[in-house]
Amino acid sequence: LAKTTQPISMDSYEGQEVNITCSHNNIATNDYITWYQQFPSQGPRFIIQGYKTKVTNEVASLFIPADRKSSTLSLPRVSLSDTAVYYCLVGGRLYTNAGKSTFGDGTTLTVKP
Amino acid sequence: KAGVTQTPRYLIKTRGQQVTLSCSPISGHRSVSWYQQTPGQGLQFLFEYFSETQRNKGNFPGRFSGRQFSNSRSEMNVSTLELGDSALYLCASTGTSYNEQFFGPGTRLTVL
């Protein structure tokens, strides 16, 4: 199983762009990289997923270098409501080893006014 | 489409008792995974069920068990509860695309 490493915490201010990097040196060929957001006492919420290069959706971008040993979640113009724990998850697709996906320890992002 | 539902939301038990938690996945999803989340250990994978069969299992003792019914609803059971079992238990369902898991709100179990 690919182990992930993220910074424990990060601080930012409203309106800034935030980049959170996740290291996953042992990522397997079939593994995808997924990021989740979790607020206190709630289940994690899917943000974005990618396999290589760059993926962008309405809330975030995900940058994955060619060697795929790391990935960076980019949150543009954060607001106070983006204060949460962000998890990087590396794992396989459904029907293969989806249940063996490994959550890292998460990064606590605090957005200040 | 309704999201993942978990019942009960909160539960208080005493040591030695057993508990059953329930999870209803998103309609059409056949995979259900269970996680335990504690402040000290983070999110830990318990097991995954697909089409009524346990497909993957994490590193938890046999006191933790689960099952899945033909309608994809799943239950997990913890027998002989210990103080350390106090945690938020999360259920996630997965559809057919990639590894996007949809999590429920969780069941907060407190063991006294």
Side-chain angles (χ1 to χ4, degrees):
Chain A
L1 297 176
K3 177 176 167 51
T4 61
T5 303
Q6 307 172 228
I8 294 174
S9 63
M10 293 182 70
D11 289 342
S12 183
Y13 291 92
E14 282 191 294
Q16 289 189 330
E17 177 185 74
V18 171
N19 295 309
I20 306 174
T21 297
C22 178
S23 173
H24 30 79
N25 292 319
N26 297 325
I27 189 169
T29 303
N30 293 331
D31 283 345
Y32 281 71
I33 301 156
T34 313
W35 284 80
Y36 290 83
Q37 175 193 57
Q38 187 179 26
F39 298 110
S41 298
Q42 294 185 25
R45 182 177 72 98
F46 173 90
I47 301 175
I48 196 167
Q49 183 183 76
Y51 183 79
K52 62 180 179 180
T53 63
K54 176 183 174 183
V55 179
T56 298
N57 62 22
E58 63 276 8
V59 298
S61 294
L62 179 59
F63 299 91
I64 305 169
D67 66 6
R68 305 202 324 125
K69 292 184 184 299
S70 66
S71 59
T72 299
L73 172 72
S74 181
L75 303 172
R77 297 179 298 282
V78 294
S79 64
L80 296 177
S81 63
D82 292 317
T83 293
V85 179
Y86 292 82
Y87 290 96
C88 161
L89 174 66
V90 175
R93 299 184 61 167
L94 184 66
Y95 306 140
T96 54
N97 58 344
K100 295 179 181 177
S101 300
T102 306
F103 278 90
D105 293 332
T107 297
T108 300
L109 172 65
T110 302
V111 179
K112 303 175 182 178
Chain B
K1 192 190 278 199
V4 178
T5 58
Q6 292 187 245
T7 56
R9 292 294 311 279
Y10 302 92
L11 205 49
I12 299 176
K13 292 286 188 178
T14 57
R15 279 183 299 174
Q17 287 186 308
Q18 74 165 22
V19 66
T20 299
L21 312 181
S22 179
C23 171
S24 292
I26 292 172
S27 177
H29 286 191
R30 295 162 64 189
S31 169
V32 173
S33 298
W34 288 90
Y35 293 84
Q36 180 195 65
Q37 187 172 34
T38 59
Q41 299 296 322
L43 264 164
Q44 292 189 289
F45 171 72
L46 280 156
F47 29 65
E48 182 214 359
Y49 285 86
F50 179 80
S51 292
E52 302 179 64
T53 300
Q54 187 181 86
R55 187 162 65 176
N56 290 296
K57 188 177 188 302
N59 190 27
F60 276 80
R63 299 186 297 107
F64 292 82
S65 63
R67 59 177 175 169
Q68 187 180 34
F69 303 94
S70 58
N71 61 358
S72 294
R73 189 177 71 85
S74 177
E75 288 182 347
M76 69 162 281
N77 184 277
V78 187
S79 62
T80 319
L81 285 167
E82 301 176 0
L83 294 179
D85 297 333
S86 294
L88 180 67
Y89 289 89
L90 293 160
C91 160
S93 77
T94 308
T96 57
S97 62
Y98 303 102
N99 192 23
E100 181 180 343
Q101 299 181 67
F102 295 86
F103 283 83
T107 294
R108 172 74 63 184
L109 172 65
T110 301
V111 181
L112 302 177

